[in-house]
């Protein structure tokens, strides 16, 4: 018998979706369905945890400003 899972529709840029897919690839805890290039269905119960992990990933990949003072 099929099991229903509550999900949240997430629309994002393909680059953000690629990061979400990378986060989900180990345990498959977050994504219910991959719909198209910029749309996913994510487990509602895991949405807060996914946002936290995504923010961590984005902060690790962003360039930090150079405070050396040289122009």
């Amino acid at each position: 018998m099929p099991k229903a899972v509550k999900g949240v529709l997430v629309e994002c840029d393909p680059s953000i979706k690629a990061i979400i897919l990378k986060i989900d690839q180990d345990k498959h805890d977050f994504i219910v369905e991959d719909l198209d290039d910029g749309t996913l269905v994510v487990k509602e119960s895991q949405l807060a945890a996914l946002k936290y992990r995504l923010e961590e990933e984005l902060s690790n990949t962003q360039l930090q400003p150079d405070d050396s003072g040289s122009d």
Side-chain angles (χ1 to χ4, degrees), residues 20-46:
I20 294 172
L21 290 171
K22 180 183 168 222
I23 291 170
D24 187 63
Q25 77 184 4
D26 294 333
K27 296 183 181 176
H28 305 288
D29 285 342
F30 301 105
I31 297 174
V32 175
E33 191 71 35
D34 182 354
L35 300 176
D36 62 26
D37 287 344
T39 311
L40 299 162
V41 178
V42 175
K43 292 179 186 175
E44 183 179 44
S45 62
Q46 296 292 327

Side-chain angles (χ1 to χ4, degrees), residues 2-16:
K3 182 179 175 185
V5 176
K6 275 189 169 183
V8 177
L9 187 67
V10 175
E11 294 178 320
C12 56
D13 292 332
S15 59
I16 299 297

Side-chain angles (χ1 to χ4, degrees), residues 35-64:
L35 300 176
D36 62 26
D37 287 344
T39 311
L40 299 162
V41 178
V42 175
K43 292 179 186 175
E44 183 179 44
S45 62
Q46 296 292 327
L47 185 61
L50 178 60
K51 283 182 180 181
Y52 178 77
R53 297 269 310 269
L54 182 59
E55 287 174 6
E56 280 185 334
E57 284 289 325
L58 289 174
S59 68
N60 291 336
T61 59
Q62 291 177 346
L63 294 175
Q64 299 301 319

